[in-house]
Amino acid sequence: LYAQDPKAVCLVRLAWVDLWAGDAGRADERARSALELAVNLDHLMTRWYVLTYAAIIAAESEDLVRLAELLGEAELLGKRLPLRYLMIVGEALRGWLDVCEGSPGGIERIVQSVARSRTDRESLHLTYTLLLLARARSMTGELQEGRAATREGLSLSHRRNQRYLEAELWRVDGELAYRSGETEAAADSLRRAVEIASAQGARWLELRALHSIV
């Protein structure tokens, strides 16, 4: 009931690698292949898992139309097979979509997702939901609250050696620091973002950081 098909899972995770490496088109193509496989298998857990990760890829690609479509499907599956660790990240992504579409109330959804990660001890995606929270705070001008989220995300990344979001967390931290008037701290954070992304081969994140520096 709770296992996942390894081919579908590895395909959608590889799609995320494609995106971080800088190829958004290939990432979307591979995520769609993973979802097609999951649908053909007619296995709820595999399909929901793939939908969740495909939604993350859509969010990071800034494809809001695709994100809304995937979240809608995932939420329907969640009613048939409730599973907390997927529901938590889905709630944060729905909140992020709301914020991007102009509804500041979406922040509360992300806050609730972060809180549930802590109380339910479902912390696999906590660094990612903190990243979404920091971005959302930035969009609504809550700069200090946003930096608190990036700092917590960075602390978790280091403690758990979960480094796949480290460059992006530093980038967002740098933008927030700059807007707060802390130009030296901003420059330091953004340089770290570029250096880490470059060392990881994460071209997508490196370009984001370079754009923020400009």
Side-chain angles (χ1 to χ4, degrees), residues 19-56:
L19 179 62
W20 259 210
D23 194 336
R26 187 168 186 177
D28 179 65
E29 181 182 332
R30 212 184 295 267
R32 289 176 186 272
S33 295
L35 185 55
E36 182 180 2
L37 177 59
V39 169
N40 289 338
L41 287 169
D42 195 23
H43 183 247
L44 285 180
M45 181 61 192
T46 297
R47 187 173 176 183
W48 194 16
Y49 187 105
V50 169
L51 279 167
T52 299
Y53 278 81
I56 292 172

Side-chain angles (χ1 to χ4, degrees), residues 88-106:
I88 285 170
V89 70
E91 183 176 36
L93 285 165
R94 174 60 70 181
W96 173 243
L97 179 62
D98 288 346
V99 172
C100 290
E101 292 180 337
S103 173

Side-chain angles (χ1 to χ4, degrees), residues 32 83 114 135 144 148-149 181:
R32 289 176 186 272
L83 197 62
V114 169
R135 289 174 178 164
Q144 294 306 314

